[in-house]
């Protein structure tokens, strides 16, 4: 069914496959750039992934102007300011962000600071506040989950107010997303499982929430199919190149889907869990996904039902409600398997959440913007009930 | 019947400067509706305990504006004590703004054809400012609509239509009775300010 109204936009050029990173200098030439600034974190450097990027520049006119490897776990306004300052000092003309969501968001944050030019990054908080063109950004994800390489969102931590700020703008799309299987090979099983479930949540929420549309549906379904094929394999054997490639593409497709359709209650509740109880985002999404789908069943049983076939369920016709329940049970089975392989928790109590933190978390959750897109109304009591069930 | 309406509309469209007249009419209608909402915020916050509770966590002096891109109309509301005060038909230094992208989108919401949350989901409203403030204003707006619109409209536009108890129904009646004089008072205030 077509929605009342929808928008779709994804201007990112995608390079996906074997040795994709080696094409970056050529792509820089097409973008009119010669001196790149790499934004990454110490873990990525230690894993030897920056060496892969460096070797791509060995026989090229393009240069690496500076490597900033101090991105913290949560990208912050101060880090963004430092990166922007170095970018100017080193006279770079494009960013290459290598890492998970934090590295990519830090590069996006620095880019906002540069576009503001001595202005305050805080002025650009919210949706569609950035109007000037940004510096070219090349994104190389080293996890398969956030989809930040194809999204128009940056989440930056405000160190002064200790809150997370959201920046949403079409200008924040990277120019290039480079998906190279070599870049995700070093991810440990637990992170592979959590980021994979993050991608699954993006796809499922894009498919079941209010802004679902026919274009995003295709991306979301493809992502779910790839996750069903490859998530267990990639978690069991990190060196399985085909599975890594499949998961990296799944995260990319899920990213395109949710960047336009947006996400709903799972993300709202997971953001609050991250803020109050410091549960990693992918893990929080993984634990909450089946419970939130169960909550949404009365409003969108047919959409949830349609996913059961993609997750490996029976293709025979069932009533929508039964089939929707099958979808949820398949996701629970997936979680159980991932728990066995990687130790990823299935319950909030196993993720070190305390029961008395739940009311504060529910209060934060109902003020999260993602709730707007959820098909069913979520009050404080509803959020608390879901947390209690997932506890 | 449809043929007659179609013909009437076609004749209307042939009037010189029709687009300008149409846009001006929409502007005026939105201006009036926004004023009604501004006044309703004052009246509902005086009487409805659920709105008082919803805004209890708002910082004192928080200002929220509702308006249309690019040239308005606008209204600004301010939280003072346990009430919302309607400051007038301008954007007066707001902490956050609900900005409709155009007059047509504003009309959809302000004539109760679409809820504010649906308009937000469809990117018809821009949220300028902190997201949590926007979510709080959205919930407060939903409570005001609960006391302003009849049940059949609430059933149509709300994700979970509210069921009012006897006390809330009585409050709704009192608010309906108070709206006329409040709008009159507001109209007089505006006229005096202009002079």
């Amino acid at each position: 069914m077509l929605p009342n109204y929808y928008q779709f936009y994804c201007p990112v050029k995608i390079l996906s496959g074997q040795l994709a990173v080696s094409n970056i200098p050529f792509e820089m030439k097409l973008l009119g750039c010669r001196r790149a600034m790499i934004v990454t974190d110490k873990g990525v450097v230690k894993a030897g992934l920056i060496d892969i990027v460096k070797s791509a520049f060995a026989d090229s006119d393009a240069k690496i102007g500076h490597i900033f490897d101090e991105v913290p776990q949560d990208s912050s306004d101060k880090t963004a300011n430092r990166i922007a300052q170095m970018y100017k000092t080193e006279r770079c003309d494009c960013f290459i962000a290598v890492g998970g969501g934090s590295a990519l968001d830090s590069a996006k944050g620095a880019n906002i600071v540069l576009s503001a030019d001595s202005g305050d990054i805080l002025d650009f908080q919210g949706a569609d506040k950035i109007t000037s063109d940004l510096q070219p950004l090349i994104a190389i994800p080293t996890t398969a989950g956030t989809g930040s390489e194809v999204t128009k969102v940056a989440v930056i931590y405000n160190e002064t107010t200790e809150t997370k700020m959201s920046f949403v703008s079409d200008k924040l799309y990277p120019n290039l997303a480079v998906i190279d299987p070599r870049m995700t090979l070093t991810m440990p099983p637990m992170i592979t499982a959590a980021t994979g479930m993050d991608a699954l949540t993006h796809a499922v929420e894009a498919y079941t929430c209010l802004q679902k549309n026919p274009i995003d549906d295709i991306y979301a379904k493809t992502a779910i199919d790839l996750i069903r094929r490859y998530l267990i394999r990639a978690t069991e054997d990190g060196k399985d190149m085909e599975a890594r490639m499949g998961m990296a593409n799944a995260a990319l497709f899920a990213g395109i889907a949710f960047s336009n359709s947006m996400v709903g209650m799972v993300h709202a509740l997971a953001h609050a869990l991250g803020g109050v109880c410091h549960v990693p985002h992918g893990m929080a999404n993984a634990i909450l996904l089946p419970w939130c789908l169960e909550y949404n069943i009365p409003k969108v049983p047919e959409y949830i039902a349609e996913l059961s076939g993609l997750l490996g369920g029976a293709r025979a016709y069932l009533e929508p409600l039964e089939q929707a329940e099958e979808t949820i049970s398949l996701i629970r089975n997936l979680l159980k398997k991932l728990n066995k392989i990687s130790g990823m928790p299935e319950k909030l109590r196993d993720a070190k959440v305390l029961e008395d933190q739940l009311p504060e978390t529910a209060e934060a959750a109902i003020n999260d913007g993602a709730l707007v897109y959820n098909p069913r109304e979520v009050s404080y009591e509803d959020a608390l009930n879901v947390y209690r069930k997932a506890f | 019947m449809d043929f007659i309406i179609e013909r009437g509309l076609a004749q209307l469209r042939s009037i010189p400067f029709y687009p300008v007249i149409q846009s001006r009419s929409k502007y005026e209608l939105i201006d009036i509706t926004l004023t009604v909402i501004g006044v309703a915020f004052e009246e509902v916050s005086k009487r409805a305990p659920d709105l008082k509770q919803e805004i209890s966590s708002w910082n004192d002096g928080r200002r929220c504006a509702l308006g249309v891109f690019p040239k308005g109309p606008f209204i600004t509301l301010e939280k003072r004590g346990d009430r919302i005060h309607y400051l007038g038909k301008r954007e007066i230094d707001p902490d956050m703004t609900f900005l409709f992208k155009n007059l047509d989108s504003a009309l959809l919401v302000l004539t109760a054809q679409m809820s504010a949350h649906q308009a937000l989901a469809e990117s018809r409203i821009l949220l300028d400012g902190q997201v949590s403030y926007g979510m709080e204003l959205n919930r407060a707006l939903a409570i005001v609509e609960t006391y302003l619109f009849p049940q059949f409209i609430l059933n149509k536009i709300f994700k979970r239509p509210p069921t009012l108890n006897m006390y809330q129904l009585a409050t709704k009646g009192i608010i309906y009775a108070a709206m006329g004089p409040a709008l009159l008072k507001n109209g007089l205030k505006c006229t005096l300010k202009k002079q």
Side-chain angles (χ1 to χ4, degrees), chain B residues 83-99:
Chain B
R83 286 190 196 172
I84 301 276
H85 293 263
Y86 169 49
L87 298 187
K89 288 187 189 187
R90 281 179 301 130
E91 228 187 338
I92 310 166
D93 199 18
D95 296 298
M96 67 93 28
T97 306
F98 266 7
L99 191 62

Side-chain angles (χ1 to χ4, degrees), chain A residues 129 211 366-367 374 382, chain B residues 121-122 128 136 139 159-160:
Chain A
K129 297 288 292 290
Q211 266 308 80
I366 58 163
N367 281 336
N374 198 62
D382 300 325
Chain B
E122 292 185 5
D128 186 354
E136 286 169 346
R139 286 200 298 273
K159 283 184 194 172
R160 179 160 54 198

Side-chain angles (χ1 to χ4, degrees), chain B residues 47-72:
Chain B
R47 296 173 172 89
D50 33 357
L51 184 57
K52 279 185 195 292
Q53 198 197 332
E54 180 58 49
I55 62 171
S56 62
S57 61
W58 293 22
N59 51 313
D60 219 38
R62 184 191 297 181
R63 284 185 184 175
C64 304
L66 280 99
V68 186
F69 176 83
K71 293 177 189 161

Side-chain angles (χ1 to χ4, degrees), chain A residues 231-278:
Chain A
L231 179 55
I232 298 286
R233 265 175 68 178
T235 312
E236 272 175 341
D237 176 13
K239 300 290 172 216
D240 183 338
M241 207 73 127
E242 187 192 331
R244 288 297 196 189
M245 197 59 207
M247 281 310 298
N249 274 275
L252 178 98
F253 296 145
I256 295 173
F258 94 84
S259 192
N260 289 283
S261 291
M262 307 310 280
V263 283
M265 146 180 221
V266 187
H267 272 77
L269 268 62
H271 289 153
L273 269 178
V276 179
C277 314
H278 307 288

